[in-house]
Amino acid sequence: MPSLFCASWPFVRLWRNVCADPLPVRGAHLLSADSPVPPVSEPRAPDAGRMQVPPGNPLLLSLTLQELLARDAVQVELVPEKKGLFLKHVEYEVSSQRFKSCVYRRYNDFVVFHETLLHKFPYRMVPALPPKRMLGADREFIEARRRALKRFINLVARHPPFSEDGVLKLFLSFSGPDVQNKLRESAQRVGDEFMNCKLAARAKDFLPADIQTQFAMSRELIRNIYNSFHKLRDRAERMVSRAIDNAADLLIFGKELSALGSDTTPLPSWASLNSSTWGSLKQALKGLSVEFALLADKAAQQGKQEENDVVEKLNLFLDLLQSYKDLCERHEKGVLHRHQRALHTYSLMKRQVVSAAAQSREPESVEQLESRIVEQESVIQTMELRNYYSLYCLHQETQLVHAYLPLTSHILGAFVNSQVQGHKEMSKVWNDLQPKLRCLFVGPHGAPAPPRPPQDGPSAH
């Protein structure tokens, strides 16, 4: 039997590779590992120049919050009448300033749009959709979902890569009845962002040397910011709830005073000496419901304003931070899972080659193993490229989050202004109400007297 080492030259090369260290793979991607990859330049040894930011680095974003907000302002309003003959569904009127469009969308249209974004942009912050309730969707749930859909579409419309993609324009401007099919077709015609980005194969060249450390630090920072803003949002919601409850209490308080002043129960004869006092009191109480209704209206307006300008902006920022957390999780789980699986497969193949060589198997079977290992090396190379591109996108998405951070000053400014304006308006109503109460306190000679605080015990003589 001829020696196994006299086999063809490719097997000799393979045998040498078996004894070599495994490929320096650091990551994987979210899509199929055998997806085609962009053309790859010849590998080169790392040098000091590669670690520095190249001139005109496309990794860097130079967008301000004002520029992001100016990209588009999308309104999502509930259509009053539910659609459908048997199974009624809610429909939304979606209007875009940028595209000067107004279309009607169902919740399921948003779902397909969301899936399309995840397919085309797996390495970007795709905000989550609000949950779907199959039965028993009350008015409060529908309104909360409308607000969440509005936040979702505005974050998408202002996201730099999303805003330049045709799928956004399709969703915001296509008025045909089959928008879901159109969205699916647009996703099937092209691959994901990695396949269509000219810089995808060179993403590693633009990343800093300590990208893994920066990723870990950014993730921890965003987690801390999210936790703090989550608590702020909860407290802001409580304050809004208290303002609305205060409005309801003021309104009821005024109605009870008015009911007391409108009481028609006859005055008993033994109280006739004080008949004028009771009549004057009723006359004064009857008109107080107007002022208390105005106070209730001011409190409700303040609560509504803080819900729109404070709570909703906090929710918008929280949605963005949550999408960043989700992106980090997709990156980490995808990288670790697929990377470990690919390396495990690669290791098993190497062991099979060693076993085949030791057992002096036929050259054909060894060549098949060689072919499989070459394919696996291609898979790992694809994972490597996608991992660097994922980190490239994460670097940009981190900058985008920080571009939204000045929204904090907008939120605080809206909160302070609402409190100042609300207290000022309510103070004016209270001051206008005070003179009207003087007629309720009549002195011994018929002159108005200020009310005195009740005494805890008997007066001292």
Side-chain angles (χ1 to χ4, degrees), residues 175-194:
S175 57
D178 55 345
V179 64
Q180 295 184 23
N181 291 331
K182 290 291 184 182
L183 289 169
R184 292 189 179 100
E185 290 173 5
S186 69
Q188 293 172 355
R189 285 196 300 265
V190 295
D192 66 352
E193 185 185 10
F194 174 78

Side-chain angles (χ1 to χ4, degrees), residues 1 43 50 163 198 243 282 312 377 431:
M1 178 180 294
R50 193 198 72 76
S163 63
K198 297 179 180 179
K282 288 205 304 180
E312 271 305 293
E377 287 177 348
N431 287 328

Side-chain angles (χ1 to χ4, degrees), residues 146-199:
R146 182 197 68 80
R147 288 175 176 269
L149 290 174
K150 180 180 177 182
R151 297 194 302 268
F152 163 80
I153 194 61
N154 275 285
L155 285 173
V156 170
R158 294 161 183 170
H159 190 286
F162 300 164
S163 63
E164 302 304 323
D165 193 83
V167 70
L168 175 68
K169 183 177 181 180
L170 175 64
F171 183 79
L172 289 177
S173 60
F174 180 74
S175 57
D178 55 345
V179 64
Q180 295 184 23
N181 291 331
K182 290 291 184 182
L183 289 169
R184 292 189 179 100
E185 290 173 5
S186 69
Q188 293 172 355
R189 285 196 300 265
V190 295
D192 66 352
E193 185 185 10
F194 174 78
M195 291 302 306
N196 296 285
C197 180
K198 297 179 180 179
L199 298 175

Side-chain angles (χ1 to χ4, degrees), residues 171-460:
F171 183 79
L172 289 177
S173 60
F174 180 74
S175 57
D178 55 345
V179 64
Q180 295 184 23
N181 291 331
K182 290 291 184 182
L183 289 169
R184 292 189 179 100
E185 290 173 5
S186 69
Q188 293 172 355
R189 285 196 300 265
V190 295
D192 66 352
E193 185 185 10
F194 174 78
M195 291 302 306
N196 296 285
C197 180
K198 297 179 180 179
L199 298 175
R202 297 180 51 222
K204 183 178 180 180
D205 297 333
F206 301 101
L207 294 174
D210 59 343
I211 181 61
Q212 295 291 353
T213 302
Q214 290 194 28
F215 167 63
M217 293 173 59
S218 296
R219 189 177 186 182
E220 181 65 21
L221 175 61
I222 298 302
R223 183 187 293 113
N224 294 337
I225 294 175
Y226 176 86
N227 291 337
S228 294
F229 271 83
H230 196 279
K231 294 176 182 177
L232 289 172
R233 193 276 314 273
D234 288 348
R235 293 300 162 178
E237 284 184 337
R238 286 167 61 99
M239 286 186 280
V240 168
S241 179
R242 284 199 297 269
I244 295 174
D245 289 344
N246 185 37
D249 290 340
L250 286 168
L251 187 62
I252 294 175
F253 194 90
K255 286 182 177 179
E256 290 301 323
L257 289 176
S258 179
L260 187 61
S262 303
D263 186 88
T264 58
T265 305
L267 189 68
S269 58
W270 56 267
S272 58
L273 294 176
N274 296 323
S275 59
S276 60
T277 303
W278 174 236
S280 300
L281 184 62
K282 288 205 304 180
Q283 187 66 28
L285 294 176
K286 188 182 299 184
L288 293 182
S289 62
V290 176
E291 281 75 12
F292 277 91
L294 186 57
L295 286 168
D297 184 60
K298 297 297 183 183
Q301 287 180 13
Q302 181 178 345
K304 190 69 174 178
Q305 183 177 353
E306 290 180 5
E307 185 177 29
N308 293 330
D309 297 342
V310 179
V311 175
E312 271 305 293
K313 285 185 173 65
L314 285 169
N315 278 324
L316 178 77
F317 193 46
L318 281 172
D319 289 349
L320 179 73
L321 296 175
Q322 182 63 54
S323 67
Y324 183 87
K325 292 173 61 181
D326 294 342
L327 175 61
C328 291
E329 188 172 348
R330 289 203 306 270
H331 169 80
E332 188 176 63
K333 287 188 175 181
V335 166
L336 291 177
H337 177 69
R338 294 185 183 275
H339 179 207
Q340 294 299 328
R341 188 172 64 181
L343 285 181
H344 178 68
T345 303
Y346 189 72
S347 175
L348 288 178
M349 289 180 178
K350 280 192 170 186
R351 292 177 185 176
Q352 290 176 0
V353 172
V354 173
S355 176
Q359 297 176 11
S360 301
R361 291 186 183 177
E362 295 297 327
E364 291 79 7
S365 63
V366 175
E367 289 178 0
Q368 291 177 357
L369 287 172
E370 177 190 17
S371 176
R372 290 174 57 194
I373 286 185
V374 170
E375 291 177 359
Q376 188 66 13
E377 287 177 348
S378 176
V379 168
I380 294 176
Q381 184 187 31
T382 303
M383 289 182 178
E384 180 79 3
L385 290 174
R386 282 187 174 269
N387 175 60
Y388 279 121
Y389 186 69
S390 179
L391 289 170
Y392 172 93
C393 294
L394 262 169
H395 198 298
Q396 287 190 327
E397 299 301 277
T398 304
Q399 297 175 67
L400 187 60
V401 171
H402 284 268
Y404 269 96
L405 274 175
L407 191 65
T408 307
S409 63
H410 293 217
I411 297 170
L412 289 175
F415 177 63
V416 172
N417 290 338
S418 173
Q419 290 288 323
V420 170
Q421 185 66 23
H423 284 85
K424 183 186 297 184
E425 292 181 358
M426 292 192 71
S427 176
K428 184 179 183 303
V429 178
W430 284 117
N431 287 328
D432 291 343
L433 178 60
Q434 192 174 26
K436 299 179 181 180
L437 301 179
R438 290 176 183 166
C439 62
L440 300 178
F441 311 103
V442 181
H445 302 291
R452 295 183 179 180
Q455 299 293 328
D456 293 337
S459 302

Side-chain angles (χ1 to χ4, degrees), residues 17-56:
N17 289 340
V18 169
C19 302
D21 292 332
L23 293 177
V25 181
R26 296 182 182 86
H29 58 90
L30 299 173
L31 302 182
S32 175
D34 55 356
S35 300
V37 298
V40 183
S41 57
E42 289 297 323
R44 60 178 184 232
D47 51 43
R50 193 198 72 76
M51 301 303 179
Q52 308 210 350
V53 177

Side-chain angles (χ1 to χ4, degrees), residues 70-110:
R71 283 177 174 259
D72 201 355
V74 185
Q75 299 298 324
V76 178
E77 301 297 338
L78 186 67
V79 176
E81 293 185 6
K82 290 186 177 182
K83 306 295 181 179
L85 294 176
F86 300 104
L87 296 176
K88 300 292 184 179
H89 62 265
V90 176
E91 203 168 50
Y92 302 94
E93 183 182 78
V94 182
S95 56
S96 164
Q97 281 188 3
R98 176 188 176 190
F99 297 109
K100 296 178 173 58
S101 59
C102 181
V103 294
Y104 295 92
R105 295 288 181 257
R106 297 177 57 180
Y107 175 80
N108 288 339
D109 299 333
F110 280 91

